[in-house]
Amino acid sequence: MSYQFELALRQYIAAFDGTNNITPAEFQTRFDNLYHKDFTFLSKDGKTLTREEVYKREASKLANGTKVTLIHFRKIGLDCIDIKLGLVNGGEEHAVARFVTTITAKQAVTSKEIDESPEANFWSPELTTKLMVIGADCKSKSVVYKWKEFGTFQTNM
């Protein structure tokens, strides 16, 4: 399952090559292959975005000629993936984005952006009440949906 998600992610990232030479219909198809219809995104500042809001944000990045590179793709749970992307906008600005994504049926259902800034991950014994830890939340809404997936793919034993 994560293999098919990784393929969809790599095809989606390939659209962000900085040239903006993909049609809107092809971009919509790649977006639909990657994100579940009930997808939600939690940004590092606490905002929750719906699938439509994420599509608008990503389409504007594509139109601006943003180049995206995959830094790492790590499976950290049964249905949880740690993704780190490098973003270059116009050859000048460089940013790194990290997400913990829960997948089901080969698509992303939820993503949480991880704040890797030194201020967010600073630890001090005096500041234990204000300690912020990377919140990699891989809890499934229900174990039943995962049980239903077993046996649907040939690789399950």
Side-chain angles (χ1 to χ4, degrees):
M1 181 172 63
S2 63
Y3 175 72
Q4 289 133 348
F5 175 75
E6 183 179 2
L7 287 176
L9 178 67
R10 288 182 184 275
Q11 289 174 349
Y12 182 74
I13 289 173
F16 292 92
D17 60 357
T19 61
N20 195 14
N21 62 355
I22 187 171
T23 65
E26 178 65 24
F27 180 69
Q28 179 72 44
T29 302
R30 291 183 188 191
F31 184 85
D32 291 341
N33 289 340
L34 186 62
Y35 295 106
H36 192 268
K37 62 181 174 84
D38 298 325
F39 177 75
T40 56
F41 177 78
L42 181 65
S43 65
K44 60 185 169 186
D45 58 354
K47 293 181 188 175
T48 301
L49 302 175
T50 63
R51 185 178 191 267
E52 291 77 25
E53 293 169 332
V54 171
Y55 178 76
K56 289 177 187 175
R57 190 175 86 166
E58 296 293 311
S60 70
K61 285 182 185 176
L62 181 69
N64 291 337
T66 302
K67 185 173 182 175
V68 178
T69 55
L70 182 63
I71 296 173
H72 76 242
F73 181 92
R74 295 183 181 137
K75 189 170 183 176
I76 58 174
L78 183 63
D79 59 351
C80 198
I81 308 292
D82 178 17
I83 302 166
K84 192 171 190 178
L85 303 172
L87 306 165
V88 177
N89 191 3
E92 299 172 5
E93 300 175 22
H94 181 73
V96 175
R98 186 171 180 189
F99 310 97
V100 173
T101 303
T102 303
I103 59 173
T104 185
K106 304 179 281 184
Q107 292 180 317
V109 175
T110 59
S111 277
K112 183 175 183 180
E113 187 174 17
I114 304 301
D115 188 2
E116 292 186 319
S117 67
E119 298 83 25
N121 295 306
F122 177 72
W123 184 82
S124 170
E126 297 85 30
L127 300 174
T128 55
T129 58
K130 296 181 181 180
L131 177 64
M132 296 186 68
V133 180
I134 292 179
D137 187 14
C138 295
K139 297 176 191 171
S140 301
K141 294 179 183 176
S142 170
V143 177
V144 176
Y145 90 89
K146 191 50 72 181
W147 181 257
K148 288 179 183 178
E149 286 185 3
F150 283 113
T152 58
F153 302 106
Q154 294 177 353
T155 57
N156 294 337
M157 295 185 190

